[in-house]
Amino acid sequence: MSRWLAAFATGAWLWSAAGARGGQAVLPADTIFTGRFITLDDARPDAEAIATRAGRIVAVGTRTEIEGFRGASTRVVSVPGVAVPGLADAHAHPQSFGAQLESLDLHGLSKDAILARVAERARRAPAGEWIRGTGWDQGYWQPPEFPSSADLDRVAPNHPVLLDRIDEHAIWVNSAALRVAGVSAATPDPAGGKIRKDVAGKPTGILLDRAASLVARVVPPPTTVQSERRLRAALAQYVAWGLTSVHDAEASRGTIALYRKLLAEGQLPIRIYVMANSRGDLLAETLANGPEIGLGDGRLTIRSFKIVLDGALGSRGAQLAEPYADAPGERGLETATDNVFRDLIRSASARGFQVSAHAIGDLAVRRALDGFEASGPDVRARRFRVEHASIVSPRDRPRFAALGVIASMQPMFVGEYSRWADARVGASRASWVLPIKSMLDAGASVPFGTDYPAADSGDPVLNLFAAVTRRGWDGQPAAGWHTSERVDVMTALRSLTIAPAFAAFEEKDLGALTVGRYADFTVLSDDPRRVDADALRTLRVRMTVVGGRVVY
């Protein structure tokens, strides 16, 4: 970035074509994009044209101003809609998404519909082959209760079945899978996990958080070829959704290796900000390498570690200070101790890494803030992150701004939470759930993500709609859910662009359409400022541009 700043400072690159009209020479642009642009630059919020060179913006202005940057070889591209700065997903799981594309998609289905899909797959699959699926949510069912292994046994007795809950913090398995894994009434709960059992002590087929690994570890792992195919499929969908940047929330060694491979081959279509898995050998390897920033013209950065402090709200694994309203004997799970968490903060900070803590319940959020606060006077500069912050006590909300801790939140969860969260936590805490506007009002930086496939959708346009309307991907509930936490469309747009860039230390390169930043933008079918809030979810992506190159 310093080379670019120096170039701009010496006048080698000009802000607009005014210099050309005054007789000064300007270097021609590689590409000029013409149309309508929402820049998110307060000095010039709207523009008619953008000139780019070597992947960055060299001029923003009217068509007349930018005409001075046209050279003999300059391409001129007409933008088929309204362009906004490149949309980002500040919390996603690309490899899991790719795997879902090859497994049973169970999002939004009734239990009967899920069992029908499993039965159909079992009829076609060879005996003994694993059947996988993701996205089930008992919140759609009546009554909204956990299913059992017996349900799956009836439709797939000869295949081990493993179905991930929508939040990826619980699995539903059949008896065959339990047998292969050796899980029985005598199997104890692992630390940070729970095997749900019936009154006789027999496993019900639901395993929460770390207990899921008891079964997952016996599932044949994908080959490298399969993993690459899945990752490529996820990346292709991201660009179709208009995403130019994705924060991979807990990448494995294998996934990081695939990012490097795709980057070397020129096949990484978007920018990836990696939160490395903080368990096992990958932690030591990544610490030894140190932060890797802006590889491949800013396409890949490995600068953060992810640690999971609790489970998920839907499976009652989120760690609460007081018991669940619908399960008075439960307060959730501690999936990482404070000592482990603080050790990671110390080791990561010493090497210049950010720490991103998954914390959904109010107690887990408080533990995250306490751990970050204890790290010392440089806490603000480290831009620590709380991933999800789904339940935040009013007393803890000001601490985010005071400590400079980022609240990485997912408006997409509003659909899921509206189905059952009021019953889960009770009326007195319901207003603490997904308090996006309250967090912004308290001064926190709030980048938006989806957590997909651990959510109803990964579409950033639907994420925008959810933030503005407090309604899910399907438009429900029609009246919105806890609507005092709605935000206006421009605030939401900034949380999909500027805030993710800041959360990744990339605010000088991404987040707005200004001179010097990368030429990343998303072209929508209409101006989100001009359409009715209800119509936001009907916006379509017409074009995705990354580094001045049309990738969709």
Side-chain angles (χ1 to χ4, degrees):
M1 185 62 189
S2 61
R3 295 194 305 271
W4 286 86
L5 291 176
F8 294 135
T10 58
W13 302 85
L14 301 181
W15 181 82
S16 76
R21 292 195 304 271
Q24 289 179 284
V26 295
L27 293 174
D30 295 335
T31 306
I32 291 174
F33 294 91
T34 64
R36 291 181 290 166
F37 297 85
I38 300 171
T39 67
L40 295 187
D41 175 12
D42 291 339
R44 189 161 205 165
D46 293 275
E48 296 177 336
I50 287 177
T52 72
R53 192 169 191 277
R56 292 188 183 263
I57 298 171
V58 297
V60 179
T62 66
R63 291 183 185 228
T64 300
E65 289 171 332
I66 303 307
E67 184 63 27
F69 286 84
R70 187 197 293 248
S73 61
T74 300
R75 292 188 311 129
V76 179
V77 177
S78 177
V79 170
V82 179
V84 299
L87 299 178
D89 191 319
H91 188 114
H93 298 278
Q95 193 60 259
S96 294
F97 178 27
Q100 178 201 280
L101 293 173
E102 296 188 355
S103 65
L104 298 176
D105 184 356
L106 311 177
H107 285 79
L109 298 183
S110 68
K111 185 163 75 170
D112 286 345
I114 290 171
L115 293 174
R117 288 198 179 184
V118 173
E120 194 276 332
R121 179 63 62 89
R123 284 191 291 271
R124 295 188 290 108
E129 181 177 287
W130 282 82
I131 296 174
R132 298 294 305 272
T134 61
W136 63 270
D137 178 3
Q138 78 274 21
Y140 280 110
W141 310 343
Q142 292 300 328
E145 297 174 350
F146 275 129
S148 70
S149 57
D151 297 319
L152 294 171
D153 293 344
R154 287 193 294 272
V155 297
N158 301 315
H159 301 78
V161 180
L162 190 160
L163 308 178
D164 284 289
R165 192 182 181 280
I166 188 172
D167 54 22
E168 296 189 337
H169 285 264
I171 60 172
W172 174 18
V173 300
N174 66 350
S175 296
L178 292 171
R179 284 195 300 272
V180 173
V183 176
S184 67
T187 306
D189 290 335
K194 183 178 181 64
I195 305 167
R196 296 190 72 91
K197 298 178 179 179
D198 61 22
V199 293
K202 179 182 177 182
T204 65
I206 298 294
L207 294 88
L208 308 181
D209 290 290
R210 295 291 171 81
S213 65
L214 299 175
V215 178
R217 68 189 180 190
V218 301
V219 179
T223 66
T224 301
V225 171
Q226 289 173 321
S227 294
E228 181 174 341
R229 182 180 67 237
R230 293 171 178 178
L231 185 59
R232 285 179 181 272
L235 294 171
Q237 183 58 62
Y238 288 148
V239 296
W241 275 335
L243 289 166
T244 63
S245 176
V246 167
H247 298 188
D248 187 330
E250 202 176 20
S252 67
R253 176 198 282 112
T255 300
I256 293 173
L258 286 174
Y259 286 139
R260 294 186 191 278
K261 178 178 184 292
L262 294 178
L263 183 67
E265 296 172 354
Q267 297 295 309
L268 194 57
I270 61 174
R271 305 189 193 281
I272 299 291
Y273 183 76
V274 170
M275 304 176 209
N277 188 317
S278 62
R279 299 192 299 271
D281 294 339
L282 181 59
L283 172 61
E285 292 174 9
T286 308
L287 285 173
N289 289 337
E292 299 178 74
I293 299 170
L295 303 179
D297 199 24
R299 295 291 170 123
L300 180 63
T301 291
I302 304 166
R303 190 176 184 166
S304 184
F305 283 106
K306 168 84 173 292
I307 185 169
V308 179
L309 299 186
D310 69 343
L313 191 58
S315 51
R316 298 192 188 90
Q319 191 181 26
L320 306 183
E322 300 297 333
Y324 281 87
D326 58 357
E330 299 181 30
R331 295 192 184 197
L333 298 170
E334 180 183 283
T335 56
T337 67
D338 289 340
N339 286 338
V340 169
F341 177 42
R342 296 186 186 203
D343 283 347
L344 174 64
I345 293 172
R346 282 191 289 272
S347 58
S349 297
R351 292 289 290 154
F353 283 93
Q354 180 189 60
V355 174
S356 302
H358 164 117
I360 287 182
D362 61 312
L363 180 55
V365 170
R366 187 168 300 145
R367 290 175 53 218
L369 293 170
D370 289 347
F372 291 145
E373 185 172 16
S375 69
D378 295 332
V379 59
R380 295 190 65 84
R382 292 167 180 164
R383 298 191 196 179
F384 293 130
R385 296 169 56 154
V386 173
E387 302 299 316
H388 307 306
S390 290
I391 308 177
V392 187
S393 162
R395 83 179 200 188
D396 285 325
R397 292 170 193 169
R399 298 180 67 194
F400 281 84
L403 297 171
V405 173
I406 292 161
S408 174
M409 302 179 76
Q410 295 77 44
M412 187 59 65
F413 284 172
V414 73
E416 181 184 356
Y417 286 167
S418 70
R419 296 192 286 271
W420 43 257
D422 290 83
R424 191 74 88 244
V425 301
S428 63
R429 289 176 292 183
S431 64
W432 299 8
V433 180
L434 212 62
I436 292 173
K437 186 175 186 299
S438 294
M439 294 293 288
L440 287 164
D441 288 346
S445 176
V446 183
F448 288 166
T450 63
D451 200 21
Y452 198 69
D456 288 328
S457 175
D459 185 338
V461 169
L462 295 180
N463 215 23
L464 174 74
F465 170 78
V468 174
T469 66
R470 295 290 285 193
R471 294 159 62 189
W473 66 278
D474 55 358
Q476 299 301 315
W481 184 71
H482 292 279
T483 57
S484 62
E485 294 296 342
R486 289 172 175 160
V487 297
D488 65 81
V489 70
M490 289 303 289
T491 296
L493 190 57
R494 289 185 178 91
S495 283
L496 284 164
T497 53
I498 293 171
F502 180 80
F505 300 87
E506 295 171 335
E507 69 273 17
K508 292 181 179 179
D509 289 328
L510 305 174
L513 300 179
T514 63
V515 169
R517 284 183 165 96
Y518 284 118
D520 293 6
F521 54 88
T522 306
V523 181
L524 302 175
S525 54
D526 207 338
D527 188 334
R529 301 170 301 182
R530 305 286 183 254
V531 302
D532 185 83
D534 288 343
L536 285 172
R537 69 189 182 112
T538 68
L539 293 174
R540 295 292 178 262
V541 172
R542 301 298 191 206
M543 178 185 286
T544 307
V545 175
V546 179
R549 177 173 168 263
V550 177
V551 295
Y552 173 77

